Amino acid sequence: MRVTMAGTGSAFAKKYDNNNALIQAEGHTLLVDCGITLPKALYEMGHSFDELDAVLISHIHGDHVGGLEELAFQMMFKYSRKPVLYIEERLVAPLWEQTLRGGMTQGPLGSLDDFFDVRPLKEGVSYTLFPGLTVELIKTRHIPGKDSFSFLFNNKLFYTADMRFDAGLLTSLLAEGRAETILHDCQFEAPGAVHACLDELLTLPPDIQEKVWLMHYGDAMEDYRGKTGKMRFVEQRVAYEF
């Protein structure tokens, strides 16, 4: 399983693109989230939307879904095919009604299904997205009243969406052998109201920190090198093998 971050930035970062990833396994490519900066980042990486086999969405914030309109229109008018969209079933209606409908409705095209091959998922169930890649959605805390889901890939890699600190969840996933590596969003400034902040993550035992890679960070990332305990930073545009 190869993971390449198209971007590693927080919602407000300007030096780094939105925290979106390409996961490749056995010749297939999954896009994890599709934020506002994703179309430009994909272009700069030398890739096109037509190379994607599917997109998986964690929650409905612009840095995670703001590029879906361009993805859908390019696939419809440039490549003549409907992209596969994996999304937790509770997010299907809000994604269309609260985010995409205003900009995408035109003529007879008036639903999410007109633009995407929508494949709803349920949390807590393991799905094979394509050979060599499975995913389980885990509901994690982010914004009160807004559903958000993190991802467990191949029972090896836990990829947080935007997630408040939850030491119990991280500890249990590792102790139960359900994860070997954690890619975790990290807010540098305390307190961590809707994201885990660095001070909170530094309270994890060293043996857990060694398994944590930090992403979804702010523009001050370089100032924090050497200040993250045993944890390391994920770099955008760099491929990692897990």
Side-chain angles (χ1 to χ4, degrees):
M1 179 170 52
R2 172 177 291 181
V3 179
T4 306
M5 301 303 298
T8 52
S10 67
F12 303 146
K14 298 298 179 284
K15 289 171 57 179
Y16 307 105
D17 290 319
N18 294 154
N19 197 86
N20 305 159
L22 297 174
I23 297 184
Q24 296 167 307
E26 297 190 18
H28 294 84
T29 301
L30 174 74
L31 173 64
V32 181
D33 285 330
C34 185
I36 297 167
T37 66
L38 187 279
K40 178 174 176 289
L42 203 64
Y43 171 79
E44 291 175 349
M45 295 169 70
H47 295 297
S48 69
F49 283 126
D50 194 42
E51 297 173 34
L52 305 176
D53 292 287
V55 58
L56 172 66
I57 295 301
S58 63
H59 66 292
I60 304 174
H61 275 155
D63 55 324
H64 296 263
V65 298
L68 284 176
E69 180 175 315
E70 181 172 346
L71 185 156
F73 282 145
Q74 277 208 35
M75 293 299 286
M76 176 175 286
F77 298 115
K78 189 174 181 179
Y79 300 111
S80 301
R81 69 181 180 92
K82 189 180 290 188
V84 173
L85 174 65
Y86 290 109
I87 183 170
E88 210 280 338
E89 58 186 4
R90 283 165 286 186
L91 298 179
V92 174
L95 176 62
W96 178 252
E97 295 295 336
Q98 300 174 19
T99 303
L100 298 179
R101 180 178 180 180
M104 296 184 69
T105 299
Q106 50 185 286
L109 305 175
S111 73
L112 194 63
D113 292 302
D114 289 329
F115 296 95
F116 294 95
D117 177 359
V118 183
R119 302 188 186 181
L121 307 178
K122 295 179 181 290
E123 68 166 312
V125 178
S126 180
Y127 295 90
T128 298
L129 302 186
F130 34 76
L133 187 65
T134 64
V135 69
E136 178 186 337
L137 277 63
I138 299 175
K139 187 174 182 180
T140 46
R141 297 178 303 147
H142 180 35
I143 302 291
K146 292 180 75 71
D147 289 327
S148 184
F149 300 88
S150 296
F151 306 121
L152 183 60
F153 292 109
N154 286 0
N155 282 324
K156 291 180 181 293
L157 177 67
F158 182 56
Y159 181 107
T160 74
D162 294 359
M163 175 177 142
R164 290 156 66 185
F165 184 60
D166 189 341
L169 175 60
L170 304 181
T171 301
S172 65
L173 287 173
L174 293 170
E176 295 166 7
R178 302 181 66 208
E180 299 172 358
T181 305
I182 296 167
L183 301 189
H184 208 300
D185 56 313
C186 176
Q187 174 183 307
F188 293 132
E189 304 83 7
V194 297
H195 290 278
C197 71
L198 181 58
D199 286 350
E200 292 172 320
L201 290 165
L202 284 169
T203 67
L204 294 169
D207 63 319
I208 293 182
Q209 289 188 32
E210 288 179 340
K211 295 175 169 48
V212 175
W213 293 71
L214 304 175
M215 61 183 187
H216 203 288
Y217 42 71
D219 285 338
M221 184 271 277
E222 294 293 343
D223 297 336
Y224 287 87
R225 290 194 185 276
K227 302 176 182 179
T228 60
K230 299 287 187 179
M231 298 178 288
R232 293 161 286 181
F233 287 112
V234 181
E235 309 276 355
Q236 66 182 23
R237 313 288 206 274
V238 175
Y240 298 87
E241 299 283 347
F242 297 105

